[in-house]
């Protein structure tokens, strides 16, 4: 999927709280001086955190003059690009995936920062009755009673799909629910399947539910079943705009960015790994 097409879709769909997030983000670099020659900062990122990254990028560009270009994909797609000598300025991935990039020596030593974590949520079509997910047993009954359930493909290289598949096995419903599963990533239309009624229930990262119109977030998975994904970022060792990239990396983890992360469905962390 082209980077611009994805950015237009998410920007158009994410309305709730966007203005407040942007205002908070603008304060991060409001006092910074614009450089005489602007640079392009290329970010390889998985999909879950990209909406809040875009909000913070808008503030960063206004304050510094440097543009931020996002190349968005699944974890596996980003890993494949890095293995094929892709040279972004910044890499944003789940912490476990960034560990692998670190071991492959493609990241700049000492640049890694933990940004935020996100849990898996349950989503239904706007206006639909809210199912009971208040306990492990209630969630089991809800999933078994659902006409159809959408979630990311566990074999597609993402983390959420694997966690959801493990949850089905833990609940003892993997075989029973398999015929009504629809596999789709949130950023390629998975949540939209719930919005248009093709799927009755969806299970996706909360950050990927909130930007989509026509759906209601029922809530997080019960604590006993919840699996958080921590997202981390680092400078790529081969980046061509190291100083502007370092500035944007600081902006992503700055204290003033915390409200933007929260509004996008994350729990901010911040600080070095």
């Amino acid at each position: 999927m082209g980077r611009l097409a994805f950015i237009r879709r998410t920007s158009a769909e994410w309305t709730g709280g966007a203005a407040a997030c942007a205002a908070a983000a603008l304060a991060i670099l409001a006092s910074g001086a614009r450089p005489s020659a602007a640079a392009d900062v290329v970010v390889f990122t998985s999909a879950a955190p990209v909406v809040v990254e875009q909000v913070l990028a808008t503030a960063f560009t206004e304050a510094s003059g440097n543009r931020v270009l996002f190349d968005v994909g699944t974890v596996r797609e980003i890993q494949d690009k890095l293995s094929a000598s892709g040279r972004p300025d910044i890499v944003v991935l789940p912490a476990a995936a960034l560990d692998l990039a670190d071991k492959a020596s493609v990241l700049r030593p000492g640049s890694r920062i933990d940004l935020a974590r996100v849990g898996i949520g349950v989503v239904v079509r706007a206006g639909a009755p809210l199912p009971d997910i208040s306990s492990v047993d209630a969630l089991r009954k809800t999933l078994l009673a659902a006409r159809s359930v959408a979630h990311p493909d566990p074999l597609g290289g993402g983390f959420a799909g694997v966690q959801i598949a493990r949850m089905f096995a833990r609940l003892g419903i993997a075989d029973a629910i398999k015929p009504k599963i629809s596999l789709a990533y949130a950023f390629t239309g998975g949540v939209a399947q719930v919005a248009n009624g093709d799927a009755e229930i969806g299970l996706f990262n909360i950050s990927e539910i909130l930007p989509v119109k026509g759906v209601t977030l029922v809530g997080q998975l019960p604590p006993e079943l919840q699996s958080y994904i921590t997202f981390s970022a680092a400078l790529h060792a081969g980046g061509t705009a190291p100083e502007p990239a370092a500035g944007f990396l600081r902006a992503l983890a700055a204290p003033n960015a915390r409200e933007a992360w929260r509004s996008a469905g994350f729990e901010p962390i911040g600080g070095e790994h």
Side-chain angles (χ1 to χ4, degrees):
M1 176 177 292
R3 65 179 63 146
L4 292 179
F6 179 76
I7 291 172
R8 284 196 296 269
R9 183 181 70 83
T10 54
S11 297
E13 291 174 347
W14 190 44
T15 55
C21 290
L26 281 168
I28 297 171
L29 294 170
S31 61
R34 290 176 179 269
S36 57
D40 286 345
V41 176
V42 178
V43 180
F44 280 10
T45 180
S46 50
V50 74
V51 171
V52 65
E53 290 175 54
Q54 290 170 350
V55 170
L56 296 171
T58 298
F60 174 77
T61 297
E62 290 199 17
S64 69
N66 300 306
R67 294 193 308 167
V68 183
L69 306 178
F70 295 96
D71 196 327
V72 185
T74 66
V75 172
R76 182 173 297 169
E77 288 170 344
I78 298 301
Q79 289 173 326
D80 288 345
K81 289 177 181 179
L82 293 174
S83 297
S85 300
R87 295 177 60 188
D89 296 293
I90 295 174
V91 182
V92 182
L93 286 172
L98 207 63
D99 286 343
L100 298 178
D102 210 355
K103 292 176 181 177
S105 300
V106 300
L107 304 180
R108 181 167 297 183
S111 68
R112 182 169 172 172
I113 297 175
D114 288 336
L115 299 173
R117 72 175 191 172
V118 66
I120 295 170
V122 178
V123 60
V124 297
R125 188 175 187 178
L130 300 184
D132 186 0
I133 61 169
S134 60
S135 67
V136 171
D137 189 55
L139 179 63
R140 180 188 294 109
K141 291 177 180 177
T142 289
L143 292 172
L144 288 174
R147 168 180 52 84
S148 53
V149 179
H151 70 79
D153 186 353
L155 301 179
F159 280 32
V162 174
Q163 294 173 343
I164 291 166
R166 289 174 180 168
M167 181 187 72
F168 291 157
R170 181 178 172 185
L171 291 173
I173 62 173
D175 291 337
I177 202 173
K178 185 175 181 180
K180 52 188 177 183
I181 292 294
S182 174
L183 298 177
Y185 296 108
F187 76 104
T188 57
V191 182
Q193 288 187 15
V194 180
N196 61 31
D198 289 340
E200 183 178 349
I201 288 177
L203 299 167
F204 297 95
N205 289 322
I206 292 172
S207 62
E208 296 178 286
I209 293 172
L210 294 181
V212 182
K213 291 182 178 179
V215 297
T216 299
L217 173 65
V218 181
Q220 296 196 36
L221 295 178
E224 302 93 326
L225 299 173
Q226 185 59 272
S227 298
Y228 289 97
I229 300 174
T230 296
F231 286 88
S232 302
L235 299 177
H236 192 278
T240 58
E243 292 305 318
F248 185 53
L249 192 61
R250 289 192 296 271
L252 290 174
N256 285 4
R258 287 177 172 266
E259 184 54 37
W261 286 104
R262 290 191 188 96
S263 295
F266 288 86
E267 297 177 14
I269 299 173
E272 296 182 359
H273 182 73

